[in-house]
Amino acid sequence: MYKFTVLLITVLLLGFSLTFAQDYSKKTLPNVYLTGDEVRDISNVTPEQIYQVPQSGTISSGSLDWVYTTITDIKSGYDMQSNASTQEIWVDLGNPDVVHTVFMNSQVADGSWADRSSIYFVSTDKGANWFQLGQVPVNNGTSGKSGYCAIYGLSTGEAVIMNHNNSDGTPTRSKIFIDSSPLAYDFVTYDPLAIPGQTLESTWPRGAVNQDDDIVFAASQSGGDSFYVNFLNRVPGTFDGWVAKDGNQAETYTFSVRNDGRIGMAFIGQTTPTTPPTYENDGDVFYSYSDDGGKTWSIPDKIFTRDHSNDTTEGAMRGITINYNGNDPCISFETAWQDFAAGQYRQGGANSLYFWSPAVNGGQPKVLVDTSWANWWPGGGANDVMVGVCRPVLSRSESEGFLLLAFNAATENVDPTEGSPYFAGYFMYSTDGGDTWTDPEKFTPETPLLDFRHPSIPEISPVSVTDDGVITVHISIVGDPEAGSTVNGANKHVTSQYYYFTTDIAFVGVDDNIVVNNFNLEQNYPNPFNPNTTINYTVAERSTVSLKVYDVLGNEVANLVNTTQEAGKYSVTFNASDLSSGLYIYTINTGSFTASKKMMLLK
């Protein structure tokens, strides 16, 4: 009883602190995009600060154990890897021991970023050790300056790297680089040339490799009102040409390839360039698909619609990601308060992370997490266009039907020199196509205090066929002892480093269903409820299971489960028709695992 009382007080205090956080001031900032060519005033640059950071370690985040390492000793001053969700890691499924990653790097902080490059790293032992292959393209000091990179791969093991750069003496624009053979570091350049009829060049490329190893990709223009899709026929190496799409810029478009070859594209809507401009699509989210490898596309379906009765409302922001579960598209995206006419957003306000699939929640987007779960901050610091929960990236398992999601969340820690919050990396997964998810787990370490931003996860995560069925999770991320980006913030030091995190998720077959080899207690649904609600939980091994409900005074009001159960997923319905409205706590105990959650009965 004493332990439960302590737990109850902790839960209630947590709820109070979250409520109190909502009184923070909210700072409205311009919604800016960076290309990497901006020049900063560095008149007050101080000498580089040297930090001792761990080279490797382990993290227990609840049900999962993570191993992490720094990918290289090279540090970077240009630490803002993306304007949206990042795609900087790829696993060769034909040789799953080989992991590829690419990062944007500048080893100076003089404001010019003249050495800004995309650096390519590889591990041949599942991320235990890394080696640098080199810059793609090579920056010779006058040509080759590159950034905002993404990595994919051919079915035969060659890396495909995209970025915008000024290699070969061209203006800075999007190009594609394909290695001549796996790990050869002998990249062939494919230049789609300028967008016809446009004075601005294409930047911020994102794409996918289809079943024939041809490449579909999109890019946009800094200040443009559309993004553009193109298609590279890898043999003979020709492009189909740029096609305009009515969407936003700077990586707010994303692709994934279904197992049968269909390509899905998700994107955030943009201002309609009328006179005066209208905002009928701004902040909305769209899904489109191609059944011919990316050459032609379906009419986009609007899957999320903001409140268009007011141009100052919550709409899709920057982070957006797409993947597939079987035949069903799956999209995750962030929303935040924005003033669409003014191009501003509220940095310190409430925001949400959504998930959508036509097979989930009646085809309506549902909130996975929001800032009532994460920490808020007062809204100060660098204007990196990041909000409390943001930058989701989705992966699917090679088999077995798992969805994996990594994202960023602000912590309670704030850098005192400029007021920027420190962010952490979080992870959650679903075994049923996104209908239910595990609780988010922080996979980045608490100490030393680092600002972890821009997580990446492969489009497809490998499944071992020799190790009793194990999904290996690979995540790359940037960690920096200074919060906020060097690009936007007051701190101008070369301190950020590249980290790799990995964990294994084991599963076993039970009655032809997949059961996660971890204990888990899920949030009841619906919540609030009247009078029935469903509680789902997972038992990792044969255990004596107790599931009880308590009132706020610690009195037991229901004993839902009290028996021995085999490993598996379970569901129980709680009928509260005899109880009064109010807050209740339900607790599971299996001997080796205990967890509690709150639920609200409203009559």
Side-chain angles (χ1 to χ4, degrees):
M1 182 64 189
Y2 171 78
K3 291 183 178 178
F4 176 76
T5 302
V6 172
L7 172 65
L8 177 61
I9 292 173
T10 302
V11 169
L12 294 176
L13 286 175
L14 176 62
F16 173 78
S17 66
L18 292 175
T19 302
F20 178 76
Q22 298 177 24
D23 292 330
Y24 282 161
S25 63
K26 300 175 178 64
K27 186 175 182 180
T28 301
L29 298 170
N31 192 348
V32 297
Y33 300 89
L34 293 182
T35 65
D37 289 327
E38 295 80 9
V39 177
R40 297 258 344 251
D41 175 13
I42 46 82
S43 56
N44 295 318
V45 170
T46 58
E48 176 183 354
Q49 297 179 2
I50 304 300
Y51 290 84
Q52 297 298 321
V53 297
Q55 297 301 303
S56 61
T58 58
I59 298 292
S60 293
S61 61
S63 64
L64 298 172
D65 294 324
W66 296 83
V67 176
Y68 69 92
T69 183
T70 46
I71 290 175
T72 176
D73 290 335
I74 297 174
K75 299 178 182 179
S76 181
Y78 203 100
D79 49 2
M80 187 173 174
Q81 295 293 309
S82 173
N83 289 281
S85 293
T86 318
Q87 189 58 56
E88 294 184 332
I89 191 168
W90 166 66
V91 177
D92 179 7
L93 296 179
N95 189 355
D97 288 349
V98 181
V99 187
H100 308 247
T101 187
V102 62
F103 291 95
M104 182 165 52
N105 181 277
S106 177
Q107 295 173 50
V108 299
D110 65 356
S112 70
W113 321 111
D115 68 332
R116 184 169 56 90
S117 306
S118 300
I119 306 183
Y120 174 37
F121 300 91
V122 170
S123 171
T124 58
D125 54 9
K126 294 185 178 181
N129 297 281
W130 293 85
F131 58 93
Q132 176 186 335
L133 286 176
Q135 300 173 347
V136 182
V138 174
N139 185 341
N140 61 18
T142 58
S143 180
K145 181 179 179 181
S146 63
Y148 293 91
C149 43
I151 190 167
Y152 312 90
L154 303 183
S155 62
T156 47
E158 293 87 354
V160 176
I161 294 175
M162 302 178 186
N163 55 46
H164 58 245
N165 61 82
N166 62 351
S167 66
D168 302 320
T170 72
T172 298
R173 63 172 171 243
S174 300
K175 300 188 185 100
I176 298 174
F177 302 88
I178 304 178
D179 212 349
S180 61
S181 61
L183 309 187
Y185 186 56
D186 179 26
F187 283 87
V188 178
T189 304
Y190 295 87
D191 184 353
L193 304 179
I195 302 172
Q198 299 292 316
T199 58
L200 298 174
E201 296 282 353
S202 64
T203 47
W204 305 301
R206 288 293 183 269
V209 179
N210 71 15
Q211 304 296 89
D212 298 323
D213 280 344
D214 296 322
I215 298 166
V216 59
F217 66 105
S220 52
Q221 302 167 302
S222 180
D225 55 25
S226 299
F227 70 94
Y228 296 82
V229 175
N230 208 332
F231 182 84
L232 171 61
N233 301 272
R234 195 172 61 87
V235 179
T238 57
F239 293 89
D240 279 3
W242 296 107
V243 177
K245 299 290 183 181
D246 187 16
N248 218 307
Q249 57 181 317
E251 306 131 275
T252 57
Y253 31 80
T254 176
F255 298 86
S256 183
V257 183
R258 203 165 71 178
N259 288 339
D260 65 359
R262 170 174 286 187
I263 300 177
M265 173 174 62
F267 61 92
I268 297 174
Q270 174 64 300
T271 303
T272 303
T274 57
T275 304
T278 59
Y279 309 98
E280 58 185 357
N281 292 323
D282 240 345
D284 297 339
V285 178
F286 295 84
Y287 166 70
S288 183
Y289 64 87
S290 171
D291 283 330
D292 57 7
K295 294 184 178 182
T296 61
W297 295 87
S298 67
I299 298 173
D301 292 323
K302 186 179 290 189
I303 66 163
F304 172 82
T305 305
R306 69 173 178 88
D307 179 7
H308 288 279
S309 64
N310 192 331
D311 285 332
T312 56
T313 185
E314 185 169 297
M317 190 66 184
R318 289 290 182 86
I320 183 169
T321 178
I322 185 174
N323 216 297
Y324 278 94
N325 176 61
N327 291 329
D328 297 323
C330 301
I331 298 171
S332 181
F333 56 94
E334 67 191 53
T335 63
W337 181 94
Q338 299 173 70
D339 183 335
F340 291 90
Q344 294 180 324
Y345 78 105
R346 185 169 290 156
Q347 187 185 62
N351 83 286
S352 302
L353 201 66
Y354 279 85
F355 175 82
W356 172 86
S357 174
V360 172
N361 196 35
Q364 297 299 311
K366 70 174 186 177
V367 174
L368 291 182
V369 292
D370 59 27
T371 40
S372 66
W373 162 84
N375 289 286
W376 294 13
W377 79 96
N383 180 18
D384 293 324
V385 198
M386 292 184 68
V387 286
V389 287
C390 60
R391 309 300 173 92
V393 282
L394 271 172
S395 176
R396 70 177 185 269
S397 58
E398 184 181 10
S399 61
E400 314 308 333
F402 280 53
L403 289 173
L404 318 175
L405 180 71
F407 63 96
N408 266 143
T411 72
E412 70 277 13
N413 301 302
V414 176
D415 192 317
T417 61
E418 65 178 27
S420 291
Y422 285 83
F423 276 79
Y426 280 82
F427 176 80
M428 56 201 301
Y429 61 88
S430 172
T431 63
D432 55 11
D435 189 23
T436 60
W437 293 80
T438 60
D439 290 335
E441 297 186 13
K442 183 189 293 187
F443 64 84
T444 51
E446 296 282 353
T447 56
L449 181 60
L450 298 175
D451 185 23
F452 285 102
R453 302 193 187 202
H454 309 295
S456 286
I457 193 169
E459 179 187 9
I460 303 176
S461 296
V463 173
S464 171
V465 296
T466 61
D467 191 18
D468 295 327
V470 171
I471 300 170
T472 301
V473 181
H474 303 271
I475 298 176
S476 64
I477 198 169
V478 175
D480 195 336
E482 296 178 338
S485 74
T486 303
V487 185
N488 293 311
N491 295 321
K492 304 179 183 69
H493 304 123
V494 183
T495 55
S496 67
Q497 285 190 276
Y498 311 129
Y499 284 80
Y500 165 78
F501 289 79
T502 185
T503 191
D504 288 334
I505 304 176
F507 56 85
V508 294
V510 176
D511 296 332
D512 295 326
N513 292 319
I514 300 303
V515 179
V516 180
N517 196 18
N518 291 297
F519 291 98
N520 185 48
L521 178 64
E522 298 178 6
Q523 186 65 54
N524 64 302
Y525 183 83
N527 188 40
F529 67 100
N530 178 29
N532 296 314
T533 190
T534 299
I535 300 172
N536 296 316
Y537 60 97
T538 302
V539 178
E541 59 189 15
R542 179 180 172 87
S543 306
T544 299
V545 179
S546 169
L547 180 61
K548 296 182 178 181
V549 181
Y550 301 87
D551 63 21
V552 292
L553 299 178
N555 300 311
E556 180 181 322
V557 298
N559 188 347
L560 303 180
V561 179
N562 187 18
T563 188
T564 299
Q565 294 181 324
E566 301 294 334
K569 293 185 67 175
Y570 294 89
S571 180
V572 62
T573 299
F574 173 44
N575 184 302
S577 57
D578 295 331
L579 299 177
S580 302
S581 296
L583 178 70
Y584 293 87
I585 296 96
Y586 58 100
T587 299
I588 190 171
N589 191 318
T590 68
S592 61
F593 172 77
T594 300
S596 297
K597 291 186 180 295
K598 297 180 293 184
M599 57 183 171
M600 180 66 70
L601 173 62
L602 294 178
K603 291 187 173 181

